[in-house]
Amino acid sequence: MSALNGCGTRIVVKFLPNILTLSRILAVPLLVALLWPAESVHAWRLGYLAAFGLYCLMGITDYFDGYLARAQGTVSKLGVFLDPIADKIMIGAVILILCANQNINGVHIIAALVILLREIAVSGLREFLAGLRISVPVSRLAKWKTAFQLVSLGALILAGGLPHIAFIQLAGLVTLWAAALLTLLTGWDYLRAGLKHMTV
């Protein structure tokens, strides 16, 4: 019996990184639902605060799924495939709902669009290069871009729950523009790498 339990534990540990990644994808609809406008302003603010807690939890799982996979030597093709998809689904969904709720409005929508369009373009480029069996490693600048994105969207969600603290909204918008700038720089790096392998 103990041998079966040990075997089951090893299986769970082996697939835990992928389970964490899938949990992020499955949590996106709940995150959007919490940010969905409610009739009561008070209830809406509570929704933002709950969404911020869920968003932070999703960010923690994003760190640990990669850490566990590398530490245990269990990096799988499924994990490599799902992890960037989970990130893009979460980022895209949050940007769209924040724009719909006017948490991102005016000229700041340009920064949000830059981020969204870059993610779509780079995904297409990666798919094209994958067909040629060419991988494009993630640069350190791209990691900073991701960090700014996560911080900015987290701050904007929190600002919706704490609208009386103006600094949070300001910090979210400033880091959103920083993420957009890094998005352009890293997007150009990916495009330049891809152009080397394209023929007319």
Side-chain angles (χ1 to χ4, degrees):
M1 188 68 175
S2 59
L4 288 175
N5 290 337
C7 182
T9 301
R10 286 194 296 272
I11 292 174
V12 171
V13 170
K14 179 180 179 180
F15 291 103
L16 183 58
N18 290 343
I19 293 172
L20 290 175
T21 302
L22 285 171
S23 72
R24 291 211 314 280
I25 296 175
L26 295 175
V28 169
L30 177 57
L31 182 64
V32 172
L34 290 171
L35 294 171
W36 202 265
E39 293 180 5
S40 168
V41 175
H42 180 65
W44 194 2
R45 290 180 184 176
L46 289 178
Y48 269 91
L49 293 175
F52 177 72
L54 178 59
Y55 181 83
C56 290
L57 182 60
M58 293 168 75
I60 292 171
T61 62
D62 185 22
Y63 170 78
F64 275 105
D65 62 7
Y67 173 79
L68 290 173
R70 290 188 297 271
Q72 299 169 0
T74 56
V75 176
S76 65
K77 292 181 179 179
L78 179 62
V80 172
F81 168 73
L82 285 179
D83 188 63
I85 289 178
D87 293 340
K88 286 173 173 55
I89 289 175
M90 182 180 74
I91 295 295
V94 171
I95 285 177
L96 289 174
I97 193 67
L98 290 180
C99 287
N101 290 347
Q102 297 293 305
N103 300 108
I104 301 175
N105 56 22
V107 70
H108 304 297
I109 291 178
I110 295 175
L113 279 175
V114 166
I115 292 172
L116 278 178
L117 294 176
R118 182 268 189 192
E119 296 298 342
I120 295 171
V122 169
S123 294
L125 180 60
R126 282 185 175 276
E127 184 176 350
F128 166 75
L129 293 176
L132 300 177
R133 299 185 180 278
I134 299 168
S135 63
V136 181
V138 178
S139 66
R140 180 172 297 182
L141 199 59
K143 292 180 180 180
W144 276 104
K145 180 270 302 179
T146 300
F148 273 111
Q149 279 183 185
L150 294 174
V151 170
S152 66
L153 297 181
L156 291 170
I157 292 173
L158 183 60
L162 301 173
H164 54 285
I165 306 178
F167 172 76
I168 300 176
Q169 176 79 6
L170 177 62
L173 293 174
V174 169
T175 50
L176 182 70
W177 278 101
L181 177 60
L182 291 177
T183 287
L184 290 174
L185 293 174
T186 57
W188 169 246
D189 286 341
Y190 283 122
L191 180 60
R192 186 172 54 184
L195 288 174
K196 296 178 182 178
H197 306 283
M198 294 181 185
T199 55
V200 179

